[in-house]
Amino acid sequence: MFGHSRSRTIELAYKYGLKKWSNEEMRKMYMKDVEELVSPLGLELPDPYKNRRVL
């Protein structure tokens, strides 16, 4: 979730182990963890694409 997905240095970050997952992969893992926490409370997460500027 750090840095721009299309930066020039992203391949170096992967190569040297600074980054293991893409921003989208990290976002999905985070949302899954949050969902597991709020669901037992009877809460629902908002639509992740509503009002999102970058798709």
Side-chain angles (χ1 to χ4, degrees), residues 6 24 48-49 52-55:
R6 293 179 224 130
E24 187 62 29
Y49 296 103
R52 186 168 178 197
R53 292 182 185 175
V54 178
L55 295 175

Side-chain angles (χ1 to χ4, degrees), residues 11-28:
E11 290 303 318
L12 289 174
Y14 288 127
K15 179 180 178 178
Y16 293 111
L18 300 173
K19 190 169 184 171
K20 293 183 180 184
W21 301 283
S22 70
N23 289 354
E24 187 62 29
E25 290 170 315
M26 285 296 299
R27 188 176 296 110
K28 287 178 182 179

